[in-house]
């Protein structure tokens, strides 16, 4: 069976909310919530936290290890190289990319993206091309061969500051997308970037039926508590919301 590894990119720097991923959230930290959920993804063989190799990131490494994740340090600005190094370290055949600012990442959605890639025999699978899920459930799965090619061919700049731009456009690679519920949910903001997002997530976690609640439970909680949904409404990206018919 292919060895499937979830790699979570994480760093301390954040101009809008410094140290955001180590902020308390529920019974742990925002990063802890992400790592717990990644460990629960069906078919995942391991979770690795990919951190910069610059000073000041040991608190992230310690938190990752506390939650059973391995740690790989690589270039801060060449995130593609950091991911590639983590994948090589973990002997991955398939890599699932998750970012550390998504504490509501859904293991079942991630598992469905992995299954879609496998069943389609694709080089790359995602669930945001185009956006059809709430912002904060985004993930991408790619073969090690595709990641190898990207690491070798991507040029400095956006192609290396992010992980998948080269894979998303390279000729000869096959790509598939997992469609989500669409509609108004596409405009939901379940990620952590601004202070308002942290307020939103803390209020939401206080009313969830359990900390590992899936996306449908999150929607139900927000429908029952519309005031929570309004907390970070001003930070939503209108470009993610489909035009009305």
């Amino acid at each position: 069976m292919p060895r499937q590894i979830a790699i979570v990119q994480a760093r301390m720097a954040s101009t809008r909310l410094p140290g955001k991923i180590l902020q308390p959230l529920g019974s742990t930290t925002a990063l802890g919530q992400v790592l717990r959920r990644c460990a629960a993804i069906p078919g995942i063989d391991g979770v690795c936290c990919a951190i910069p190799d610059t000073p000041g990131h040991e608190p992230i490494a310690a938190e990752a290890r506390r939650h059973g994740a391995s740690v790989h340090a690589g270039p801060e600005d060449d995130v593609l190289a950091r991911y590639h190094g983590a994948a090589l370290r973990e002997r991955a055949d398939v890599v699932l990319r998750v970012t550390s600012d998504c504490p509501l990442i859904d293991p079942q959605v991630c598992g469905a993206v992995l299954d879609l890639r496998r069943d389609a025999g694709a080089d790359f699978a995602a669930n945001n091309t185009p956006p059809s899920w709430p912002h904060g459930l985004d993930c991408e799965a790619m073969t090690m061969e595709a990641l190898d090619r990207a690491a070798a061919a991507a040029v400095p700049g956006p192609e290396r500051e992010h992980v998948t731009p080269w894979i998303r456009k390279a000729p000869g690679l096959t790509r598939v997308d997992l469609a989500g519920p669409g509609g108004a949910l596409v405009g939901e903001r379940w990620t952590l970037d601004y202070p308002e997002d942290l307020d939103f997530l803390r209020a939401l976690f206080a009313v969830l039926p359990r900390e590992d609640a899936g996306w449908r439970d999150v929607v139900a909680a927000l429908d029952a508590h519309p005031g929570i949904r309004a907390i970070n409404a001003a930070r939503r990206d209108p470009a993610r919301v489909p035009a009305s018919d």
Side-chain angles (χ1 to χ4, degrees):
M1 295 290 291
R3 180 169 166 79
Q4 301 189 124
I5 302 296
I7 300 179
V8 179
Q9 66 189 70
R11 65 175 185 165
M12 290 297 291
S14 172
T15 56
R16 301 181 184 97
L17 186 58
K20 62 183 182 180
I21 62 173
L22 295 183
Q23 290 288 331
L25 183 60
S27 63
T28 179
T29 60
L31 177 61
Q33 297 290 354
V34 175
L35 297 174
R36 284 178 178 177
R37 286 167 173 261
C38 285
I41 296 170
I44 278 294
D45 296 298
V47 180
C48 179
C49 192
I51 66 173
D53 57 8
T54 50
H57 290 92
E58 181 53 37
I60 296 178
E63 181 70 354
R65 294 187 180 106
R66 190 169 74 87
H67 285 87
S70 64
V71 176
H72 173 79
E76 181 158 17
D77 296 324
D78 190 343
V79 186
L80 174 56
R82 196 194 320 164
Y83 252 80
H84 188 239
L88 290 172
R89 172 196 173 103
E90 295 297 320
R91 298 176 290 106
D93 299 305
V94 175
V95 170
L96 181 77
R97 175 177 177 255
V98 174
T99 57
S100 58
D101 54 4
C102 294
L104 291 172
I105 193 77
D106 191 308
Q108 299 306 314
V109 174
C110 292
V113 170
L114 287 169
D115 289 348
L116 176 63
R117 191 219 61 79
R118 179 200 63 205
D119 295 344
D123 300 295
F124 175 82
N127 64 346
N128 53 13
T129 53
S132 61
W133 297 87
H135 185 28
L137 299 183
D138 307 71
C139 65
E140 302 169 309
M142 66 212 81
T143 63
M144 191 65 198
E145 291 81 3
L147 188 57
D148 284 338
R149 289 182 59 185
V155 299
E159 288 186 357
R160 304 201 72 91
E161 293 165 1
H162 306 281
V163 179
T164 59
W166 187 91
I167 295 174
R168 283 175 173 267
K169 67 182 182 182
L173 294 182
T174 53
R175 294 171 279 265
V176 289
D177 182 77
L178 180 73
L185 286 179
V186 180
E188 296 281 328
R189 181 178 174 83
W190 299 356
T191 188
L192 177 58
D193 197 25
Y194 295 93
E196 299 96 316
D197 296 330
L198 183 59
D199 293 340
F200 163 81
L201 288 164
R202 285 177 171 165
L204 175 60
F205 267 78
V207 300
L208 288 177
R210 59 189 188 282
E211 288 198 353
D212 62 350
W215 72 271
R216 290 181 178 86
D217 292 321
V218 173
V219 173
L222 291 172
D223 287 344
H225 301 275
I228 295 176
R229 183 177 266 130
I231 292 173
N232 65 347
R235 293 298 185 181
R236 294 177 191 165
D237 180 1
R240 286 183 56 91
V241 183
S244 58
D245 294 335

